[in-house]
């Protein structure tokens, strides 16, 4: 397999900056792709070892393009995640003044993060979406738009200047990125892990979502992402993308997944991988009755009862 990572390009995206924080990125060829879909398809086709793409931001939640690509098509698996603090700069061609700006561009996920700033400072500017923030900068360089919201670091790459910096509507905004490859054995647990799955209900009924969430709740598993996505089968038909604490090798997580497999029409496992927001020593111990040791002890007790040794 080629020693390369695909990522949402072009050069100068926040995705590239986040990718370069991974130590292994220094030993791979980093290849920009024009969209999340094309980056993930490169992995499916064997053209890249893995793809690095945004999956969630702290302002708008899940990045629907990425979630939908992981839900559909040949299965892929998440191996790593990275958190990156996000602030935007308003990039323009040299000499452009704020009063000259009639059109602005950025990735759609950027708009909710700069909406209030845009309303205050450029209320009449027309928004145009781009494939990425860096691609918006490229389009400004080519003269298609007057300004782009992108990382300040992209200015030099595209011969632009930062007219404004530090733009963000929400303090401490972050975007979560994931390294995605083809399915394989998950890495060993670290003690601070996350497991991602997609769930399809068997049928639509009152309390259906509660039944799914109950498999986690009864085992003391906290959820960090719950987002519904349409299946394409008609209005009201949804699947659920879930990030849960823990690793598939944890007894409580494995039992929850077995329970979900029994009651769901389909379960797609997206991987168990180290959390970027916590180290092993920071994770709270499992709730009473949900540790691996307690699961083992309970199973042993049942076995002894079956043998008449209680």
């Amino acid at each position: 397999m080629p020693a390369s990572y695909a990522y949402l390009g072009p050069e100068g995206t926040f995705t590239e900056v986040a990718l370069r924080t991974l130590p292994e990125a220094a030993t791979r060829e980093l290849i920009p792709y024009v969209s999340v879909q094309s980056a993930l398809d490169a992995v499916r086709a064997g053209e890249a070892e893995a793809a690095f793409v945004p999956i969630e931001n702290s302002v708008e939640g899940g990045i629907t393009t990425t979630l939908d690509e992981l839900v559909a098509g040949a299965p892929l698996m998440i191996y790593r995640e990275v958190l990156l603090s996000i602030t935007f700069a308003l990039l323009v061609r040299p000499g452009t003044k704020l009063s000259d700006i009639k059109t602005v561009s950025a990735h759609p996920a950027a708009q909710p993060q700069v909406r209030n700033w845009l309303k205050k400072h450029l209320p009449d500017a027309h928004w145009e979406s781009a494939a990425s923030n860096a691609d918006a900068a490229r389009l400004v360089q080519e003269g298609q738009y007057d300004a782009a919201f992108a990382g300040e670091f992209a200015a030099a790459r595209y011969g632009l200047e930062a007219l404004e910096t530090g733009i963000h509507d929400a303090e401490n905004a972050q975007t979560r990125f994931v390294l995605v490859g083809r399915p394989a054995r998950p890495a060993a647990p670290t003690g601070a892990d996350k497991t991602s799955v997609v769930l399809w209900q068997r049928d639509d009924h009152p309390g259906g979502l509660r039944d799914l969430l109950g498999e986690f709740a009864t085992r003391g598993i906290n959820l960090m992402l719950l987002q519904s996505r349409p299946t394409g089968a008609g209005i009201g038909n949804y699947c659920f993308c879930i990030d849960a604490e823990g690793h598939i090798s944890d007894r409580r997580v494995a039992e929850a997944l077995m329970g979900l497999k029994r009651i769901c029409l389909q379960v797609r496992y997206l991987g168990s991988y180290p959390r970027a927001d916590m180290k092993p020593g920071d994770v709270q111990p499992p709730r009473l009755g949900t540790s691996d040791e307690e699961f083992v002890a309970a199973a042993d007790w049942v076995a002894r009862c079956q043998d008449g040794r209680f």
Side-chain angles (χ1 to χ4, degrees), residues 89-259:
L90 186 68
L91 304 186
V92 299
R93 292 182 296 277
T96 302
K97 297 178 293 185
L98 203 62
S99 58
D100 297 329
I101 297 173
K102 307 302 180 187
T103 55
V104 296
S105 183
H107 187 274
Q111 188 174 22
Q113 302 180 62
V114 300
R115 184 185 293 124
N116 292 333
W117 189 96
L118 192 61
K119 181 179 179 180
K120 179 179 179 181
H121 298 278
L122 292 169
D124 298 323
H126 181 68
W127 176 278
E128 293 284 354
S129 292
S132 68
N133 300 314
D135 193 51
R138 179 185 63 81
L139 294 172
V140 171
Q141 179 191 44
E142 294 177 356
Q144 294 193 41
Y145 304 122
D146 298 325
F149 288 105
E152 186 177 359
F153 46 80
R157 172 65 180 80
Y158 294 99
L160 304 176
E161 63 181 27
L163 190 60
E164 300 280 349
T165 60
I167 299 172
H168 55 271
D169 287 351
E171 293 287 342
N172 304 315
Q174 290 183 311
T175 294
R176 181 166 70 100
F177 301 85
V178 288
L179 185 68
V180 180
R182 287 191 281 187
R185 182 183 294 273
T190 67
D193 301 290
K194 179 182 294 185
T195 292
S196 298
V197 293
V198 185
L199 310 176
W200 285 261
Q201 290 179 283
R202 193 173 297 277
D203 56 68
D204 186 19
H205 62 275
L209 180 58
R210 181 200 62 189
D211 294 342
L212 303 184
L213 300 183
E215 296 293 335
F216 296 104
T218 58
R219 296 170 178 87
I221 300 172
N222 190 39
L223 301 186
M224 290 163 281
L225 174 72
L226 170 61
Q227 183 151 338
S228 61
R229 297 301 304 148
T231 64
I235 296 295
N237 287 278
Y238 292 91
C239 60
F240 299 95
C241 301
I242 291 176
D243 289 345
E245 66 178 8
H247 193 280
I248 193 171
S249 65
D250 299 338
R251 290 289 292 267
R252 60 189 178 130
V253 175
E255 289 206 8
L257 295 181
M258 285 190 285

Side-chain angles (χ1 to χ4, degrees), residues 64-79:
T64 56
T65 302
T66 301
L67 293 175
D68 290 346
E69 283 299 316
L70 293 176
V71 166
L76 294 170
M77 198 164 109
I78 299 171
Y79 288 92

